[in-house]
Amino acid sequence: GGIITQTPKFLIGQEGQKLTLKCQQNFNHDTMYWYRQDSGKGLRLIYYSITENDLQKGDLSEGYDASREKKSSFSLTVTSAQKNEMAVFLCASSIRDWGCQDTQYFGPGTRLLVL
Amino acid sequence: QEKVQQSPESLIVPEGAMVSLNCSFSDSASQSIWWYQQHPGKGPKALISIFSNGNKKEGRLTVYLNRASLHVSLHIKDSQPSDSAVYLCAVSPNQGGSAKLIFGEGTKLTVSS
């Protein structure tokens, strides 16, 4: 088995601040994802990466940057945090990008609050 | 853009009851449909997936897919308090092998002991 670690668990920022969230996986999976989950809502894809140094935009990429410098890690940057923003950011990984049957494994999330 | 809708929004059942959760999607050519379970403060966990029309059974879980009616359902037999969680339906859209999943907003299940 493997595990996905997300840091930090909680992130409190100020309006306009640039904030970085980190994700590490030891599954040796090729594809990694960042999702945003607002309270009581489903998950929306921000970015995904099918291999090291690859980036693909999801439906919610505006206002975010991502970086995949190593196979095992995927970072997400909120470029300018919005006041009153509160959401959970979930990182996931799966074994390959093209298999429609591939399971996505999720980390525990980073909870963001912008004051 | 694929749309995924789940019903009901929430459900309370007694322990031992059969639970039925529904999910509708907008594209009959969508690839796999997944059900995820999410406990409070945790990330979602994949439970079961289906690709072909018909049903698939794993333990206490059965999933039914009808592509003609754009509908998939998840049934949990002999529900337990530990089944209390949010259940998310996710659809892999027909985009030539895309890794993307489109999620519904979830059904919150409470199993009372």
Side-chain angles (χ1 to χ4, degrees), chain A residues 31 33 35 37 40-43 45 48 57-59 90 96-109 111, chain B residues 1 31-32 34 36 38 40-46 49-51 88 92 96-106:
Chain A
T31 308
Y33 312 78
Y35 290 91
Q37 185 174 33
K41 302 288 186 184
L43 282 64
L45 183 64
Y48 68 103
K57 289 184 178 181
D59 296 327
L90 291 159
R96 58 183 181 266
D97 69 305
W98 51 265
C100 60
Q101 312 250 7
D102 296 328
T103 303
Q104 291 190 19
Y105 295 85
F106 283 84
R111 282 145 186 81
Chain B
Q1 170 79 323
Q31 303 293 316
S32 295
W34 291 87
Y36 282 79
Q38 186 176 25
K42 307 285 187 185
K45 175 186 169 187
S49 67
I50 190 165
F51 178 76
L88 298 164
S92 180
S98 167
K100 293 168 68 170
L101 285 177
I102 308 297
F103 283 81
E105 295 194 347

Side-chain angles (χ1 to χ4, degrees), chain A residues 56-82:
Chain A
Q56 310 277 343
K57 289 184 178 181
D59 296 327
L60 202 65
S61 61
E62 189 169 335
Y64 302 96
D65 285 329
S67 172
R68 182 94 181 272
E69 292 170 353
K70 292 192 300 183
K71 186 176 183 179
S72 62
S73 65
F74 195 27
S75 299
L76 180 73
T77 297
V78 181
T79 56
S80 178
Q82 299 300 303

Side-chain angles (χ1 to χ4, degrees), chain B residues 13-90:
Chain B
V13 301
E15 184 175 355
M18 170 73 87
V19 172
S20 297
L21 308 176
N22 298 297
C23 175
S24 60
F25 51 98
S26 58
D27 183 0
S28 62
S30 293
Q31 303 293 316
S32 295
I33 292 94
W34 291 87
W35 286 94
Y36 282 79
Q37 179 192 57
Q38 186 176 25
H39 284 108
K42 307 285 187 185
K45 175 186 169 187
L47 291 178
I48 190 168
S49 67
I50 190 165
F51 178 76
S52 303
N53 252 349
N55 66 77
K56 180 178 177 181
K57 186 174 188 293
E58 288 185 2
R60 294 188 294 118
L61 305 178
T62 304
V63 59
Y64 294 91
L65 172 60
N66 184 328
R67 287 192 183 275
S69 63
L70 303 176
H71 183 264
V72 61
S73 59
L74 174 68
H75 303 263
I76 306 173
K77 183 182 170 183
D78 187 24
S79 56
Q80 303 295 309
S82 57
D83 295 328
S84 298
V86 173
Y87 289 80
L88 298 164
C89 175

